[in-house]
Amino acid sequence: MSSVRTRGLSALLQSPQRLYTTGPRQVYNQRVSSGKYRADPHQQKTVEHLQRLYDTLQSHPPPPAAVLKSLFRFVSGTVTGRNRPASQARTMNQPGPRGLYLHGDVGSGKTMTMDLFYHSLGSIERKRRVHFHAFMQDVHRRVHQLRKERNVTYDPIPPIAHELANDAWVLCFDELQVTDVGDAMILRRLFTELYARGVVTVVTSNRPPDELYKNGLQRKSFLPTIEVLKERNLVHPLDSGIDYRQQAKGSEQVFFYPLGPPTTTSIEKIWASLTVKEKGWLQPKMLEFLGRTLTISETCDRVARASFALLCSSSHSAADFLALAGQFDTLILTDVPKMSLVQRNEARRFITLIDALYENKIKLYMSSEVEASLLLVGDAEEAANTGKERELTAADRQLMDDLKLQVDHLTSSIFTGAEEAFAFQRAVSRLVEMQSANWGKRDEP
């Protein structure tokens, strides 16, 4: 996203001075030989799949960007999209090489191996590596731009697919998860349009394609998306049984619990130390994006302190947290409570916040009621029963009215919190890695 400062690993991956040109296999083997990586047969098999895709791309010409640009001008200049030129029809029927869909447990190396692949594509200019939240925010921004700024009244997905395909022939899509019915309906159309324009994808996810948007609202309408993903990608499991994030070395204390005077004192000392280093003014800061605002009352240059209540108990989205990650290098998050699956909205926002901070390599200090692994309590069975046991909120009833749902739809993951329970496992793994003393520093990918 152009509006969000890409930092850390994501920025390094796009640095032309660090591009490899020999493919992911050689880079992986070199790092195993040097002791930076541990030899893992599951990762090695994944790297071999990525190497084969790399070799295929070297000999496969991408669809010409100039054609896509002219097509977008044609489509965006018409109201109905009728009478499309023959060149557009040809472009929309030229699928590229089959990509790769990697799925497995948290910390198994999915993102690492995908990043090695992306980093090796030195000769391919039109490529993009993006996290799911950032990608969907970019898509929503483009939809907003077409409808509000260009007064587009027809289906915006085809012209957006033209733009995205023009930007990136190879799309590395990290941490694919679908929990929102709106995103599910967009992805159903978008993936079809992207693949028809020759886009090649490498996808990582904690879930295999058949379990995406499991129990989601109107999931039957999402099933064609799953079939498209399986058709256009080799589906490969990466389950080594090891969470490498849990093995981070040189950790420091950045998370403090339980809540009380000792924890408050520790957080105050950290805040004082960070603000002295920044040598800036203590002041509130207002973040603005897509007509929305978020005010952080305590900031000092690129350091911010905010409460869980401000960020996660209020209605904030991935866009808000990405904007936050773009403005600050360090965040002190205070007073994080233990959450049950009944507080699925707060849990969802907390997980999304951690994703945004992790992806942008933001240093996190946190005070909480319990240790990180115990912040979300409950299990899958509890999640399945939550929707039946609790009373509907006004927001629930509004959502049911908007989507024309009945009471029996309450077992969907959008109401039960099952998706949050699943995603929280990834968040805990990331929180462990974020305790590393080197976290937030610019390391070699």
Side-chain angles (χ1 to χ4, degrees):
M1 289 176 53
S2 59
S3 61
V4 176
R5 182 173 56 89
T6 305
R7 306 181 62 257
L9 179 61
S10 300
L12 284 171
L13 292 174
Q14 300 180 36
S15 172
Q17 288 80 17
R18 292 176 175 260
L19 290 173
Y20 298 105
T21 57
T22 55
R25 180 197 297 127
Q26 181 173 348
V27 180
Y28 180 82
N29 290 338
Q30 288 173 344
R31 295 188 179 183
V32 170
S33 297
S34 69
K36 185 171 184 178
Y37 293 164
R38 176 192 299 181
D40 184 311
H42 300 275
Q43 292 182 357
Q44 290 170 333
K45 187 173 182 180
T46 300
V47 169
E48 287 303 312
H49 283 304
L50 290 167
Q51 182 68 40
R52 283 193 285 272
L53 177 57
Y54 171 89
D55 294 337
T56 299
L57 293 176
Q58 300 309 305
S59 59
H60 191 287
V67 172
L68 295 175
K69 287 181 179 179
S70 63
L71 288 175
F72 176 69
R73 285 196 296 268
F74 177 86
V75 174
S76 62
T78 180
V79 174
T80 63
R82 298 175 181 173
N83 302 320
R84 293 174 174 172
S87 60
Q88 180 177 354
R90 287 196 298 272
T91 302
M92 293 178 64
N93 193 29
Q94 294 184 347
R98 200 167 180 230
L100 191 64
Y101 184 109
L102 303 175
H103 66 90
D105 291 336
V106 296
S108 58
K110 301 183 299 297
T111 297
M112 180 272 289
T113 53
M114 183 191 73
D115 285 344
L116 287 179
F117 168 79
Y118 176 89
H119 197 61
S120 68
L121 299 176
S123 61
I124 297 177
E125 295 183 359
R126 287 166 48 210
K127 59 181 179 291
R128 182 183 183 191
R129 189 267 193 205
V130 62
H131 189 271
F132 170 80
H133 290 312
F135 179 80
M136 290 310 302
Q137 179 57 27
D138 183 29
V139 171
H140 287 300
R141 178 186 61 80
R142 292 173 190 256
V143 171
H144 176 82
Q145 191 176 45
L146 280 175
R147 289 177 172 168
K148 299 298 182 181
E149 299 180 13
R150 303 187 188 181
N151 296 319
V152 166
T153 57
Y154 54 87
D155 180 8
I157 298 303
I160 288 174
H162 278 303
E163 281 190 324
L164 292 170
N166 188 55
D167 292 341
W169 173 44
V170 179
L171 175 61
C172 293
F173 200 36
D174 193 29
E175 298 287 2
L176 171 62
Q177 58 174 327
V178 186
T179 60
D180 179 81
V181 64
D183 288 347
M185 297 305 103
I186 288 177
L187 289 173
R188 180 184 62 183
R189 297 273 289 113
L190 186 58
F191 275 128
T192 300
E193 296 286 343
L194 287 174
Y195 289 132
R197 287 163 174 78
V199 170
V200 180
T201 57
V202 175
V203 180
T204 74
S205 178
N206 290 342
R207 291 192 167 189
D210 287 329
E211 293 187 12
L212 287 174
Y213 198 49
K214 190 175 182 179
N215 299 320
L217 298 174
Q218 303 179 18
R219 188 173 189 265
K220 184 178 294 186
S221 298
F222 185 73
L223 294 180
T225 310
I226 294 175
E227 294 307 313
V228 169
L229 282 170
K230 293 193 294 186
E231 177 185 348
R232 297 305 312 154
N233 297 278
L234 171 66
V235 178
H236 173 67
L238 177 50
D239 284 317
S240 63
I242 301 174
D243 185 347
Y244 287 98
R245 294 175 187 153
Q246 299 279 356
Q247 301 182 4
K249 298 179 180 179
S251 61
E252 63 172 316
Q253 185 173 9
V254 293
F255 304 150
F256 300 87
Y257 67 93
L259 298 177
T263 291
T264 300
T265 299
S266 298
I267 290 295
E268 288 297 334
K269 287 181 179 179
I270 291 172
W271 174 248
S273 174
L274 291 172
T275 53
V276 167
K277 290 179 181 179
E278 292 292 331
K279 298 179 181 179
W281 293 98
L282 299 178
Q283 59 187 349
K285 189 165 188 176
M286 178 182 292
L287 310 180
E288 300 183 57
F289 36 85
L290 294 178
R292 294 161 53 88
T293 61
L294 171 63
T295 299
I296 307 297
S297 58
E298 295 181 284
T299 74
C300 180
D301 198 8
R302 298 196 64 81
V303 176
R305 177 162 66 172
S307 68
F308 175 90
L310 174 66
L311 297 181
C312 302
S313 295
S314 303
S315 181
H316 295 300
S317 67
D320 304 10
F321 300 143
L322 287 168
L324 178 72
Q327 291 292 321
F328 302 105
D329 298 322
T330 303
L331 173 67
I332 298 178
L333 181 65
T334 62
D335 302 322
V336 179
K338 180 170 62 175
M339 293 163 277
S340 73
L341 293 174
V342 176
Q343 285 99 22
R344 71 201 184 289
N345 289 331
E346 290 84 352
R348 180 184 300 177
R349 294 184 194 113
F350 178 74
I351 292 166
T352 302
L353 172 63
I354 297 304
D355 283 345
L357 299 178
Y358 180 90
E359 182 67 16
N360 288 278
K361 300 284 279 188
I362 304 303
K363 187 72 174 181
L364 174 66
Y365 295 90
M366 184 173 73
S367 66
S368 59
E369 183 178 355
V370 294
E371 63 179 285
S373 62
L374 301 177
L375 284 173
L376 185 66
V377 296
D379 53 27
E381 182 177 355
E382 178 185 343
N385 293 327
T386 298
K388 300 175 183 178
E389 295 174 353
R390 67 180 179 83
E391 294 184 3
L392 290 177
T393 65
D396 291 337
R397 295 187 183 281
Q398 182 64 53
L399 179 61
M400 293 178 69
D401 289 343
D402 290 344
L403 298 176
K404 297 180 175 60
L405 302 177
Q406 305 299 322
V407 174
D408 55 3
H409 286 116
L410 289 176
T411 55
S412 168
S413 59
I414 196 172
F415 290 111
T416 65
E419 285 291 342
E420 284 70 25
F422 186 90
F424 192 73
Q425 180 186 7
R426 181 187 72 247
V428 169
S429 176
R430 289 184 161 186
L431 285 169
V432 170
E433 186 178 358
M434 292 168 78
Q435 296 179 64
S436 168
N438 291 325
W439 180 260
K441 296 181 180 179
R442 291 173 177 256
D443 300 321
E444 181 185 5

